[in-house]
Amino acid sequence: MFAESVVYALSFPATPKSFRPRLAEAVGLWARGERQFEAWAPHVARTRGLIDTAIDQIAPRRTVAVLGSGPLFDVPLETLARTFDVVLLIDQAHLATTSRRVQRYANVRRRWHDLSAATNPDHLKFVDSISDLDWVISVNLLSQLGRGAPEGEERAVIDAHLAALAALPCRATLVTDFCYRLYDRRGSVRERFDLLHGRAMPPFDQHWTWEVAPFGEESAETRRVHSVAAWLDWRKSAG
């Protein structure tokens, strides 16, 4: 808890006032990622690797916007900074833990935005004002938008984000977890949950699993494993 308090305190001054209520949740996510570094490593590697590979399909490479950049666990920032003229990291919270990586590069900029259609119907309208935008990446954000939506509005929020990505004037890459299973120590499935609330998705380009909560994280007797999928060009897949 001490480390979390320090991160919160260091992040607070740079955070715009309207976004400060989001800090506690962001710090909690960062702390879980630190605790579960080994368990999350395969998922982080797959996400970074997919983004690294997708860069080869982008031309020109002027500006890239990363939606849901978060603690940067799964963002290959160094590669993006070397490859693009401008890298925009966009989220509702940017922690002090990312400052050292970000400050290495003069072309990397952090932006605070509410990315949920539940509270901001034009949640991606700001993208229209980004100059020379060649690529948008929605990275492990979609299910979080659904989780944060008011009860009964989860599906609408998910649909709105996917529709906004499909309407972008540039390539949009989507990485998201879409369901989870809760296993007991015998390997039996105790619970299944659809993180996209019934939204049908087109065939994916890549798929893997992510052990979000190993035994002991949430319960001594269960572990939670998410299924993750990626679409290199969501506009084409959704069309």
Side-chain angles (χ1 to χ4, degrees):
M1 289 297 295
F2 176 74
E4 290 144 354
S5 298
V6 170
V7 171
Y8 183 94
L10 292 175
S11 305
F12 189 87
T15 302
K17 186 176 181 179
S18 61
F19 289 94
R20 286 173 179 170
R22 316 283 190 163
L23 274 176
E25 183 180 2
V27 171
L29 174 64
W30 165 81
R32 173 171 286 195
E34 290 292 311
R35 285 194 304 272
Q36 302 302 338
F37 177 83
E38 291 186 8
W40 286 23
H43 161 72
V44 168
R46 288 294 299 266
T47 305
R48 289 186 177 190
L50 178 130
I51 294 171
D52 279 337
T53 300
I55 289 174
D56 295 337
Q57 303 175 20
I58 308 299
R61 298 171 184 166
R62 296 169 298 176
T63 300
V64 56
V66 183
L67 307 179
S69 55
L72 297 180
F73 290 146
D74 44 17
V75 177
L77 180 63
E78 292 73 15
T79 304
L80 293 174
R82 289 194 303 266
T83 308
F84 284 82
D85 295 336
V86 177
V87 180
L88 300 177
L89 304 176
I90 301 169
D91 212 330
Q92 61 185 6
H94 297 282
L95 300 181
T97 56
T98 66
S99 296
R100 183 173 296 179
R101 287 178 69 190
V102 169
Q103 290 168 1
R104 290 175 185 166
Y105 305 100
N107 61 332
V108 176
R109 300 159 194 171
R110 295 188 288 194
R111 297 287 185 267
W112 282 262
H113 280 283
D114 182 355
L115 297 173
S116 174
T119 48
N120 182 10
D122 295 323
H123 66 293
L124 292 190
K125 185 66 176 176
F126 71 91
V127 171
D128 295 341
S129 65
I130 299 176
S131 301
D132 300 325
L133 184 63
D134 295 312
W135 192 20
V136 171
I137 310 168
S138 176
V139 56
N140 295 308
L141 170 66
L142 184 63
S143 68
Q144 296 298 310
L145 296 177
R147 187 171 69 86
E151 186 175 357
E153 296 183 24
E154 299 93 344
R155 172 64 183 274
V157 168
I158 288 166
D159 287 346
H161 187 68
L162 294 176
L165 290 179
L168 289 173
C170 63
R171 179 185 289 262
T173 293
L174 171 66
V175 182
T176 185
D177 49 346
F178 59 89
C179 71
Y180 74 71
R181 290 176 174 83
L182 198 67
Y183 295 92
D184 62 23
R185 288 192 176 274
R186 295 177 297 177
S188 300
V189 177
R190 292 276 195 90
E191 179 184 329
R192 294 179 174 87
F193 188 78
D194 176 9
L195 294 166
L196 301 187
H197 296 268
R199 166 72 189 226
M201 299 293 278
F204 47 74
D205 294 307
Q206 291 191 31
H207 170 259
W208 61 88
T209 58
W210 173 16
E211 189 171 19
V212 171
F215 291 117
E217 175 64 28
E218 296 174 338
S219 166
E221 300 302 322
T222 60
R223 68 186 185 104
R224 180 157 53 93
V225 180
H226 290 219
S227 293
V228 182
W231 293 263
L232 293 173
D233 188 347
W234 174 251
R235 297 183 309 161
K236 183 182 296 184
S237 297

